[in-house]
Amino acid sequence: MSEPEPSLSLRGVFIAFEGGDGAGKSTQVRLLREYLEELGHTVVVTREPGGTTFGRTVRELVLHGDHVAPRAEALLFAADRAHHVETLIRPALERGDVVITDRYMDSSIAYQGAGRDLGVEEVRDLNLWATGALLPTLTVLVDLPAEVGRTRRQGVHDRLEAEPADFHGAVRDLFLGLAGADPTRYLIVDGELPPGQIHELVRDRVATVPGVAR
Ligand code: TYD
């Protein structure tokens, strides 16, 4: 396996948001998009699973279908990601755009690797293969205790959200472990702060990413 390639050889900037369910990532994605567009960037906002037509079919299967065997689930998320990278993310980065994705491979490492207990290394390697080892320039982890996320989501649960508290606890710990081990590529923000304050922290950090300030 070749070493992971942060998207350095590409002209664009690749930013991922990660975190548990109900952490408020989509609000942050929207606010960051507005900020970057004001700076004059072309911004592509996308998400996983489901950023492409193929991905929307996978999303239905994996989030709203009947039982899916854990390894099949990991492969479906990886298949969505492989197609997403090849048809949408990499071309946008080659054009020099900023790509913001709501979730990327750390979600698989956390939910399938740790939550489903399929093995963090195995799921990481699967996803490095699926993406040609494309890593974000920066990953923002919006961290939230699992109980708080659950309360915010209220009654609506997809297959993953419906998992018990210890599953979501393992997911959170794994996200924090990944982000804490690599502060140059991750920003951890407290998801219990007001959204405006979270955005300021994100904006300040994103402004330091090469190619962003103008
Ligand atoms: P998300 O789209 O963030 O949920 P929603 O739009 O309902 O807020 O994520 C969907 C679910 O899929 C979420 O519970 C996390 C899970 N997931 C994985 O388990 N593995 C993955 O690789 C990805 C991308 C998501």
Side-chain angles (χ1 to χ4, degrees), residues 125-185:
D125 287 350
L126 170 69
N127 279 279
L128 288 174
W129 179 78
T131 61
L134 179 72
L135 297 182
T137 324
L138 176 71
T139 297
V140 179
L141 172 59
V142 186
D143 176 54
L144 198 67
E147 327 68 86
V148 180
R150 179 169 285 270
T151 313
R152 286 189 186 174
R153 291 196 304 275
Q154 302 181 322
V156 194
H157 299 305
D158 63 39
R159 282 185 54 256
L160 280 299
E161 288 168 349
E163 290 295 328
D166 60 343
F167 177 100
H168 290 283
V171 167
R172 183 194 187 196
D173 291 347
L174 200 284
F175 275 136
L176 284 171
L178 290 176
D182 196 351
T184 58
R185 293 202 309 107

Coordinates of all heavy atoms in Angstrom, one line a residue, residues 125-185:
D125 N -7.4 0.7 5.7 CA -6.7 0.2 4.4 C -7.7 0.1 3.3 O -7.4 0.4 2.1 CB -6.0 -1.1 4.7 CG -4.7 -0.9 5.5 OD1 -4.3 0.3 5.8 OD2 -4.2 -1.9 6.0
L126 N -8.8 -0.4 3.6 CA -9.9 -0.6 2.5 C -10.2 0.8 1.9 O -10.3 0.9 0.7 CB -11.2 -1.1 3.2 CG -12.4 -1.1 2.3 CD1 -12.3 -2.1 1.1 CD2 -13.7 -1.5 3.2
N127 N -10.3 1.8 2.8 CA -10.7 3.1 2.3 C -9.5 3.9 1.6 O -9.7 4.7 0.7 CB -11.3 4.0 3.4 CG -12.7 3.6 3.6 OD1 -13.6 4.1 2.9 ND2 -13.0 2.7 4.5
L128 N -8.3 3.6 2.0 CA -7.1 4.1 1.3 C -7.1 3.6 -0.1 O -6.8 4.3 -1.1 CB -5.8 3.9 2.0 CG -5.7 4.7 3.3 CD1 -4.4 4.2 4.1 CD2 -5.6 6.2 3.1
W129 N -7.4 2.3 -0.2 CA -7.4 1.7 -1.5 C -8.6 2.2 -2.4 O -8.4 2.6 -3.5 CB -7.6 0.1 -1.4 CG -7.7 -0.6 -2.7 CD1 -6.6 -0.9 -3.5 CD2 -8.8 -1.0 -3.4 NE1 -7.1 -1.5 -4.7 CE2 -8.4 -1.5 -4.6 CE3 -10.2 -0.9 -3.1 CZ2 -9.3 -2.1 -5.5 CZ3 -11.1 -1.5 -4.0 CH2 -10.7 -2.0 -5.2
A130 N -9.7 2.4 -1.8 CA -10.9 2.9 -2.5 C -10.7 4.3 -3.0 O -11.3 4.6 -4.1 CB -12.1 2.8 -1.6
T131 N -10.0 5.1 -2.4 CA -9.8 6.5 -2.7 C -8.5 6.8 -3.4 O -8.2 8.0 -3.7 CB -9.9 7.4 -1.5 OG1 -8.8 7.0 -0.6 CG2 -11.3 7.2 -0.8
G132 N -7.7 5.8 -3.7 CA -6.3 6.1 -4.2 C -5.6 6.9 -3.2 O -4.7 7.7 -3.5
A133 N -5.9 6.7 -1.9 CA -5.2 7.3 -0.7 C -5.3 8.8 -0.8 O -4.4 9.6 -0.4 CB -3.8 6.9 -0.7
L134 N -6.5 9.3 -1.2 CA -6.7 10.8 -1.2 C -7.2 11.2 0.2 O -8.2 10.8 0.7 CB -7.8 11.2 -2.2 CG -8.1 12.7 -2.2 CD1 -6.9 13.5 -2.8 CD2 -9.4 13.0 -3.0
L135 N -6.4 12.0 0.9 CA -6.7 12.5 2.2 C -7.1 14.0 2.2 O -6.6 14.7 1.4 CB -5.6 12.3 3.2 CG -5.1 10.9 3.4 CD1 -4.0 10.9 4.4 CD2 -6.3 10.0 3.9
P136 N -8.0 14.4 3.1 CA -8.3 15.9 3.1 C -7.1 16.7 3.5 O -6.2 16.3 4.2 CB -9.4 16.0 4.2 CG -9.9 14.6 4.4 CD -8.8 13.7 4.0
T137 N -7.1 18.0 3.0 CA -6.1 18.9 3.5 C -6.3 19.2 5.0 O -5.4 19.3 5.7 CB -6.2 20.2 2.7 OG1 -6.6 20.0 1.3 CG2 -5.0 21.1 2.7
L138 N -7.6 19.3 5.3 CA -8.0 19.6 6.7 C -9.3 18.8 7.0 O -10.2 18.9 6.2 CB -8.2 21.1 7.0 CG -8.7 21.5 8.3 CD1 -7.6 21.3 9.4 CD2 -9.2 22.9 8.4
T139 N -9.3 18.2 8.2 CA -10.5 17.6 8.7 C -11.0 18.3 10.0 O -10.2 18.5 10.9 CB -10.3 16.1 9.0 OG1 -10.0 15.4 7.7 CG2 -11.6 15.5 9.5
V140 N -12.2 18.8 10.0 CA -12.8 19.4 11.2 C -13.6 18.4 11.9 O -14.6 17.9 11.3 CB -13.6 20.7 10.8 CG1 -14.2 21.3 12.0 CG2 -12.8 21.7 10.0
L141 N -13.3 18.1 13.1 CA -14.1 17.2 13.9 C -15.0 18.0 14.8 O -14.5 18.8 15.7 CB -13.2 16.3 14.8 CG -13.9 15.4 15.8 CD1 -14.9 14.5 15.2 CD2 -12.9 14.6 16.6
V142 N -16.3 17.9 14.6 CA -17.2 18.6 15.5 C -17.6 17.6 16.6 O -18.4 16.7 16.3 CB -18.5 19.1 14.7 CG1 -19.4 19.9 15.6 CG2 -18.1 19.9 13.5
D143 N -17.0 17.8 17.7 CA -17.1 16.8 18.8 C -18.3 17.0 19.7 O -18.5 18.2 20.1 CB -15.8 16.8 19.6 CG -15.9 15.8 20.8 OD1 -16.1 14.6 20.5 OD2 -15.7 16.3 21.9
L144 N -19.0 15.9 20.0 CA -20.2 16.0 20.8 C -20.3 14.7 21.6 O -20.2 13.7 21.1 CB -21.4 16.2 19.9 CG -22.7 16.8 20.5 CD1 -22.5 18.2 20.9 CD2 -23.8 16.7 19.5
P145 N -20.7 14.9 22.9 CA -21.0 13.6 23.7 C -22.1 12.9 23.0 O -23.1 13.6 22.5 CB -21.4 14.1 25.1 CG -20.8 15.5 25.2 CD -20.8 16.0 23.8
A146 N -22.1 11.6 22.9 CA -23.1 10.8 22.2 C -24.5 11.1 22.7 O -25.4 11.2 21.9 CB -22.7 9.3 22.3
E147 N -24.6 11.3 24.0 CA -26.0 11.5 24.6 C -26.6 12.8 24.1 O -27.8 12.9 23.8 CB -26.0 11.6 26.1 CG -25.1 10.8 27.0 CD -23.7 11.3 26.9 OE1 -23.2 12.2 27.6 OE2 -22.9 10.6 26.1
V148 N -25.7 13.8 23.9 CA -26.2 15.1 23.5 C -26.7 15.0 22.0 O -27.7 15.5 21.7 CB -25.1 16.2 23.6 CG1 -25.6 17.5 23.1 CG2 -24.6 16.3 25.0
G149 N -25.9 14.3 21.2 CA -26.3 14.1 19.8 C -27.6 13.4 19.7 O -28.5 13.7 19.0
R150 N -27.8 12.4 20.6 CA -29.0 11.6 20.5 C -30.2 12.5 20.9 O -31.3 12.4 20.2 CB -28.9 10.4 21.5 CG -30.2 9.5 21.6 CD -29.9 8.3 22.4 NE -29.1 7.3 21.6 CZ -29.7 6.4 20.8 NH1 -31.0 6.3 20.7 NH2 -28.9 5.6 20.1
T151 N -30.1 13.3 21.9 CA -31.2 14.2 22.3 C -31.5 15.2 21.2 O -32.7 15.4 20.9 CB -30.8 15.0 23.6 OG1 -30.2 14.1 24.5 CG2 -31.9 15.7 24.2
R152 N -30.5 15.7 20.5 CA -30.7 16.6 19.4 C -31.5 16.0 18.3 O -32.2 16.6 17.6 CB -29.4 17.2 18.9 CG -28.7 18.2 19.8 CD -27.6 18.8 19.1 NE -26.8 19.7 19.9 CZ -25.7 20.3 19.5 NH1 -25.2 20.1 18.3 NH2 -25.0 21.1 20.4
R153 N -31.2 14.7 18.0 CA -31.8 14.0 16.9 C -33.2 13.7 17.1 O -34.0 13.4 16.2 CB -31.1 12.7 16.6 CG -29.7 12.9 16.0 CD -29.2 11.6 15.4 NE -29.3 10.4 16.3 CZ -28.4 10.1 17.1 NH1 -27.3 10.8 17.3 NH2 -28.5 9.0 17.9
Q154 N -33.6 13.7 18.4 CA -35.0 13.3 18.8 C -35.4 12.0 18.3 O -34.5 11.1 18.3 CB -36.0 14.4 18.4 CG -35.6 15.7 19.0 CD -36.5 16.9 18.7 OE1 -37.0 17.0 17.6 NE2 -36.7 17.7 19.7
G155 N -36.6 11.8 17.7 CA -37.0 10.4 17.5 C -36.5 9.8 16.2 O -36.7 8.6 16.0
V156 N -35.9 10.5 15.3 CA -35.6 10.0 13.9 C -34.3 9.3 13.9 O -33.3 10.0 14.1 CB -35.7 11.2 12.9 CG1 -35.7 10.6 11.5 CG2 -36.8 12.1 13.2
H157 N -34.3 8.0 13.6 CA -33.0 7.3 13.6 C -32.8 6.5 12.3 O -33.7 5.7 12.0 CB -32.9 6.3 14.8 CG -33.0 7.0 16.1 ND1 -32.2 8.0 16.5 CD2 -33.8 6.8 17.2 CE1 -32.5 8.4 17.7 NE2 -33.5 7.7 18.1
D158 N -31.7 6.7 11.6 CA -31.4 5.7 10.5 C -30.7 4.5 11.2 O -30.6 4.4 12.4 CB -30.5 6.4 9.4 CG -29.2 6.8 9.9 OD1 -28.6 6.1 10.7 OD2 -28.7 7.9 9.5
R159 N -30.3 3.5 10.3 CA -29.7 2.3 10.9 C -28.6 2.5 11.8 O -28.4 1.8 12.8 CB -29.3 1.3 9.7 CG -30.5 0.6 9.1 CD -30.0 -0.4 8.0 NE -29.1 -1.3 8.6 CZ -27.7 -1.3 8.4 NH1 -27.2 -0.4 7.6 NH2 -27.0 -2.2 8.9
L160 N -27.7 3.5 11.5 CA -26.5 3.7 12.3 C -26.9 4.5 13.6 O -26.5 4.1 14.7 CB -25.5 4.4 11.6 CG -24.6 3.7 10.6 CD1 -23.8 2.6 11.3 CD2 -25.3 3.0 9.4
E161 N -27.8 5.5 13.4 CA -28.2 6.3 14.6 C -28.9 5.5 15.6 O -28.8 5.8 16.8 CB -29.1 7.4 14.1 CG -28.3 8.5 13.3 CD -29.3 9.5 12.6 OE1 -30.5 9.2 12.6 OE2 -28.8 10.5 12.1
A162 N -29.6 4.4 15.2 CA -30.3 3.6 16.1 C -29.5 2.7 17.0 O -30.0 2.0 17.9 CB -31.3 2.7 15.3
E163 N -28.2 2.7 16.7 CA -27.3 1.8 17.5 C -27.2 2.3 18.9 O -27.4 3.5 19.2 CB -25.9 1.8 16.9 CG -25.8 1.0 15.6 CD -26.1 -0.5 15.8 OE1 -25.7 -1.0 16.8 OE2 -26.6 -1.1 14.8
P164 N -26.9 1.5 19.9 CA -26.9 1.9 21.3 C -25.8 2.8 21.7 O -24.8 3.0 20.9 CB -26.7 0.5 22.1 CG -26.1 -0.4 21.1 CD -26.6 0.0 19.7
A165 N -25.9 3.3 22.9 CA -24.9 4.3 23.4 C -23.5 3.9 23.3 O -22.6 4.7 23.0 CB -25.3 4.7 24.8
D166 N -23.2 2.6 23.6 CA -21.7 2.3 23.7 C -21.2 2.3 22.2 O -20.0 2.6 22.1 CB -21.5 0.9 24.4 CG -22.3 -0.2 23.7 OD1 -23.2 0.0 22.9 OD2 -21.9 -1.4 24.0
F167 N -22.0 2.0 21.2 CA -21.5 2.1 19.8 C -21.1 3.5 19.6 O -20.0 3.8 19.1 CB -22.7 1.7 18.9 CG -22.4 1.8 17.4 CD1 -22.1 0.7 16.7 CD2 -22.6 3.0 16.8 CE1 -21.9 0.8 15.3 CE2 -22.4 3.1 15.4 CZ -22.0 2.0 14.7
H168 N -22.0 4.5 19.9 CA -21.7 5.9 19.6 C -20.6 6.4 20.5 O -19.8 7.3 20.1 CB -23.0 6.7 19.8 CG -24.0 6.4 18.7 ND1 -23.8 6.9 17.4 CD2 -25.0 5.6 18.6 CE1 -24.8 6.4 16.6 NE2 -25.6 5.7 17.4
G169 N -20.4 5.8 21.7 CA -19.2 6.2 22.5 C -17.9 5.8 21.9 O -17.0 6.5 21.8
A170 N -17.9 4.5 21.3 CA -16.7 4.0 20.6 C -16.4 4.9 19.4 O -15.3 5.2 19.0 CB -16.9 2.6 20.2
V171 N -17.5 5.3 18.7 CA -17.3 6.2 17.5 C -16.7 7.5 17.9 O -15.7 7.9 17.3 CB -18.7 6.4 16.8 CG1 -18.6 7.5 15.8 CG2 -19.2 5.1 16.1
R172 N -17.2 8.1 18.9 CA -16.6 9.4 19.4 C -15.2 9.2 19.8 O -14.3 10.1 19.4 CB -17.5 9.9 20.6 CG -17.0 11.2 21.0 CD -17.5 11.6 22.4 NE -17.2 13.0 22.6 CZ -17.2 13.6 23.9 NH1 -17.7 12.9 24.9 NH2 -16.8 14.8 24.0
D173 N -14.9 8.2 20.6 CA -13.5 8.0 21.0 C -12.5 7.8 19.9 O -11.4 8.3 19.9 CB -13.4 6.8 22.0 CG -14.1 7.0 23.3 OD1 -14.4 8.2 23.6 OD2 -14.3 6.0 24.0
L174 N -13.0 7.1 18.9 CA -12.1 6.9 17.7 C -11.9 8.2 16.9 O -10.7 8.5 16.6 CB -12.8 5.8 16.8 CG -11.9 5.1 15.8 CD1 -11.5 5.9 14.6 CD2 -10.6 4.5 16.4
F175 N -12.9 9.0 16.7 CA -12.7 10.3 16.1 C -11.7 11.1 16.9 O -10.8 11.7 16.3 CB -14.1 11.0 16.0 CG -15.0 10.7 14.9 CD1 -16.3 10.5 15.1 CD2 -14.5 10.7 13.6 CE1 -17.2 10.3 14.0 CE2 -15.3 10.4 12.5 CZ -16.7 10.2 12.7
L176 N -11.9 11.2 18.2 CA -11.0 12.0 19.0 C -9.6 11.5 18.9 O -8.6 12.2 18.9 CB -11.5 12.0 20.4 CG -12.7 12.9 20.7 CD1 -13.2 12.7 22.1 CD2 -12.3 14.4 20.5
G177 N -9.4 10.1 18.9 CA -8.1 9.5 18.8 C -7.4 9.9 17.5 O -6.2 10.3 17.4
L178 N -8.1 9.8 16.4 CA -7.5 10.2 15.0 C -7.1 11.6 15.0 O -6.0 12.0 14.6 CB -8.6 9.9 13.9 CG -9.0 8.5 13.6 CD1 -10.1 8.5 12.5 CD2 -7.7 7.7 13.0
A179 N -8.0 12.5 15.5 CA -7.8 13.9 15.4 C -6.7 14.4 16.3 O -5.8 15.2 16.0 CB -9.1 14.7 15.7
G180 N -6.7 13.8 17.5 CA -5.7 14.2 18.5 C -4.3 13.8 18.1 O -3.3 14.4 18.5
A181 N -4.2 12.7 17.3 CA -2.9 12.2 16.9 C -2.2 13.0 15.8 O -1.1 12.9 15.5 CB -3.0 10.7 16.5
D182 N -3.0 13.9 15.2 CA -2.5 14.6 14.0 C -3.0 16.0 13.9 O -3.8 16.4 13.0 CB -2.9 13.8 12.7 CG -2.1 14.2 11.5 OD1 -1.3 15.2 11.6 OD2 -2.2 13.6 10.5
P183 N -2.6 16.9 14.9 CA -3.1 18.2 14.9 C -2.8 19.1 13.7 O -3.5 20.1 13.5 CB -2.4 18.8 16.2 CG -1.4 17.9 16.6 CD -1.6 16.6 16.0
T184 N -1.9 18.7 12.9 CA -1.6 19.5 11.7 C -2.7 19.3 10.6 O -3.0 20.1 9.8 CB -0.2 19.2 11.0 OG1 -0.2 17.8 10.7 CG2 0.9 19.5 11.9
R185 N -3.3 18.1 10.6 CA -4.4 17.8 9.6 C -5.8 17.9 10.2 O -6.8 17.7 9.5 CB -4.1 16.5 9.0 CG -2.9 16.5 8.1 CD -2.9 15.4 7.1 NE -3.2 14.1 7.7 CZ -4.4 13.4 7.5 NH1 -5.3 14.0 6.8 NH2 -4.6 12.3 8.1

